[in-house]
Short mmCIF file of all heavy atoms in Angstrom, two decimals:
data_model
loop_
_atom_site.label_atom_id
_atom_site.label_comp_id
_atom_site.label_asym_id
_atom_site.label_seq_id
_atom_site.Cartn_x
_atom_site.Cartn_y
_atom_site.Cartn_z
N ALA A 200 -0.37 1.90 -4.07
CA ALA A 200 -0.15 2.22 -2.59
C ALA A 200 1.13 1.66 -2.09
O ALA A 200 1.80 2.35 -1.28
CB ALA A 200 -1.41 1.63 -1.85
N ARG A 201 1.44 0.47 -2.51
CA ARG A 201 2.73 -0.12 -2.09
C ARG A 201 3.91 0.76 -2.45
O ARG A 201 4.85 0.96 -1.77
CB ARG A 201 2.88 -1.55 -2.56
CG ARG A 201 1.99 -2.52 -1.86
CD ARG A 201 2.16 -3.97 -2.33
NE ARG A 201 1.23 -4.84 -1.61
CZ ARG A 201 0.03 -5.12 -2.17
NH1 ARG A 201 -0.38 -4.67 -3.29
NH2 ARG A 201 -0.77 -5.88 -1.42
N LYS A 202 3.86 1.19 -3.77
CA LYS A 202 4.93 2.07 -4.22
C LYS A 202 4.97 3.41 -3.52
O LYS A 202 6.05 4.01 -3.41
CB LYS A 202 4.76 2.27 -5.74
CG LYS A 202 4.99 1.06 -6.59
CD LYS A 202 4.71 1.32 -8.03
CE LYS A 202 4.84 -0.01 -8.84
NZ LYS A 202 4.44 0.19 -10.29
N GLY A 203 3.81 3.88 -3.04
CA GLY A 203 3.75 5.17 -2.40
C GLY A 203 4.00 5.14 -0.91
O GLY A 203 4.02 6.19 -0.27
N GLU A 204 4.16 3.91 -0.33
CA GLU A 204 4.36 3.88 1.10
C GLU A 204 5.69 4.55 1.44
O GLU A 204 6.69 4.31 0.78
CB GLU A 204 4.35 2.40 1.59
CG GLU A 204 2.89 1.86 1.64
CD GLU A 204 2.84 0.46 2.22
OE1 GLU A 204 3.85 -0.17 2.51
OE2 GLU A 204 1.66 -0.02 2.34
N GLY A 205 5.67 5.35 2.43
CA GLY A 205 6.91 6.09 2.84
C GLY A 205 6.95 7.44 2.20
O GLY A 205 7.69 8.31 2.63
N HIS A 206 6.14 7.66 1.19
CA HIS A 206 6.03 8.94 0.53
C HIS A 206 4.66 9.57 0.70
O HIS A 206 4.52 10.62 1.27
CB HIS A 206 6.30 8.80 -1.02
CG HIS A 206 7.70 8.25 -1.26
ND1 HIS A 206 8.86 8.99 -1.15
CD2 HIS A 206 8.10 7.03 -1.63
CE1 HIS A 206 9.89 8.24 -1.46
NE2 HIS A 206 9.42 7.00 -1.80
N TYR A 207 3.59 8.85 0.21
CA TYR A 207 2.24 9.38 0.27
C TYR A 207 1.39 8.68 1.32
O TYR A 207 0.47 9.22 1.88
CB TYR A 207 1.56 9.22 -1.08
CG TYR A 207 2.25 9.86 -2.17
CD1 TYR A 207 2.93 9.12 -3.20
CD2 TYR A 207 2.34 11.26 -2.30
CE1 TYR A 207 3.63 9.76 -4.16
CE2 TYR A 207 3.00 11.88 -3.34
CZ TYR A 207 3.67 11.10 -4.27
OH TYR A 207 4.34 11.70 -5.27
N TYR A 208 1.79 7.39 1.59
CA TYR A 208 1.06 6.60 2.58
C TYR A 208 2.07 6.02 3.61
O TYR A 208 3.19 5.86 3.29
CB TYR A 208 0.32 5.45 1.90
CG TYR A 208 -0.47 5.88 0.74
CD1 TYR A 208 -0.13 5.56 -0.56
CD2 TYR A 208 -1.69 6.60 0.93
CE1 TYR A 208 -0.93 6.00 -1.67
CE2 TYR A 208 -2.46 7.00 -0.13
CZ TYR A 208 -2.08 6.73 -1.38
OH TYR A 208 -2.80 7.14 -2.47
N GLY A 209 1.52 5.71 4.78
CA GLY A 209 2.38 5.10 5.84
C GLY A 209 2.71 3.68 5.48
O GLY A 209 1.95 3.01 4.74
N HIS A 210 3.79 3.18 5.98
CA HIS A 210 4.16 1.80 5.77
C HIS A 210 3.14 0.90 6.36
O HIS A 210 2.72 1.04 7.53
CB HIS A 210 5.57 1.56 6.42
CG HIS A 210 6.63 2.22 5.68
ND1 HIS A 210 7.12 1.92 4.49
CD2 HIS A 210 7.37 3.37 6.11
CE1 HIS A 210 8.06 2.76 4.13
NE2 HIS A 210 8.22 3.60 5.11
N GLY A 211 2.62 -0.07 5.56
CA GLY A 211 1.59 -0.94 6.01
C GLY A 211 0.15 -0.52 5.57
O GLY A 211 -0.79 -1.27 5.79
N ALA A 212 0.01 0.61 4.92
CA ALA A 212 -1.29 1.08 4.53
C ALA A 212 -1.99 0.12 3.53
O ALA A 212 -3.15 -0.19 3.57
CB ALA A 212 -1.20 2.46 3.92
N ALA A 213 -1.15 -0.37 2.56
CA ALA A 213 -1.68 -1.32 1.58
C ALA A 213 -2.09 -2.66 2.17
O ALA A 213 -3.07 -3.23 1.83
CB ALA A 213 -0.66 -1.55 0.49
#
Side-chain angles (χ1 to χ4, degrees):
R201 287 184 184 90
K202 291 176 185 174
E204 286 185 356
H206 300 283
Y207 304 107
Y208 309 109
H210 294 287

